[in-house]
Amino acid sequence: MTTRTGGAPATYRQLSPVDGLAQLSFLIQGLLERRAAGHDLSIIQTRLLGVLRDRKPTMNELARFLGLDKSSVTGLVDRAERRGLVARVPSTTDRRAVLVSLTDDGRALVSRAEAAFEADVSALLSRLPPRERETLSRIVGRLLVAHAADQGIDLFPGQARNSAPATSGISVSAQHVRV
């Protein structure tokens, strides 16, 4: 298979799964970093906002989702709170717990960044035929869901166990999974 890159023909060569996945992760991470920087966000801040899209976790849960210690999460949430992107709210079930949620400004920022990132990834995936995109989406989804389950993380809170996620394809919402 021959593709064009920068106007010159390129020959497709099979990469090992390790090399291919590593190179793909660098490519995706670069796309995400560019979109995050456009909103004056670090990657970890972007991951925080991604986690908060569909849940209101406690600080301890955030630490687990992000793979950080609680003191690091406290500083991360403090900075996002000062920017008006997140708010701490008392738990209705545990007086000692504080939940973290997106503010309206945070949700608007997440929506804009998500749309731009989705366009970037969709453009990348458009190089594949639709059937291969569907296969890739299924494989990636299975890997991420299995890894999250091993970590005790539900990627799709509030949904039936075997129902499809609210969004199709590769989504920013899975960002909080450490791989």
Side-chain angles (χ1 to χ4, degrees), residues 35-150:
R35 290 303 177 182
H39 295 283
D40 196 28
L41 295 169
S42 67
I43 287 296
I44 195 65
Q45 289 168 327
T46 303
R47 289 180 61 209
L48 167 69
L49 298 177
V51 169
L52 297 177
R53 279 184 353 154
D54 57 1
R55 64 188 80 220
K56 293 180 183 178
T58 65
M59 295 292 279
N60 285 333
E61 289 170 331
L62 267 177
R64 194 183 68 207
F65 290 152
L66 297 172
L68 300 172
D69 60 55
K70 192 170 179 242
S71 64
S72 295
V73 171
T74 299
L76 183 64
V77 170
D78 286 346
R79 288 185 295 281
E81 193 172 37
R82 281 194 298 273
R83 284 187 63 182
L85 302 175
V86 304
R88 289 178 171 100
V89 293
S91 170
T92 57
T93 58
D94 182 351
R95 290 184 315 166
R96 299 166 295 164
V98 174
L99 306 177
V100 181
S101 66
L102 286 174
T103 62
D104 289 342
D105 287 347
R107 192 160 301 285
L109 177 80
V110 166
S111 292
R112 288 190 310 273
E114 178 183 17
F117 181 64
E118 186 171 333
D120 292 342
V121 173
S122 292
L124 176 67
L125 294 176
S126 72
R127 297 173 178 171
L128 296 174
R131 190 170 196 177
E132 288 183 9
R133 286 194 303 264
E134 291 171 20
T135 299
L136 178 63
S137 182
R138 272 194 315 278
I139 291 168
V140 168
R142 285 183 16 216
L143 286 171
L144 291 174
V145 168
H147 178 74
D150 289 346

Side-chain angles (χ1 to χ4, degrees), residues 155-175:
L155 288 184
F156 310 108
Q159 292 184 5
R161 191 166 200 78
N162 292 322
S163 68
T167 58
S168 61
I170 298 173
S171 171
V172 176
S173 67
Q175 275 180 247

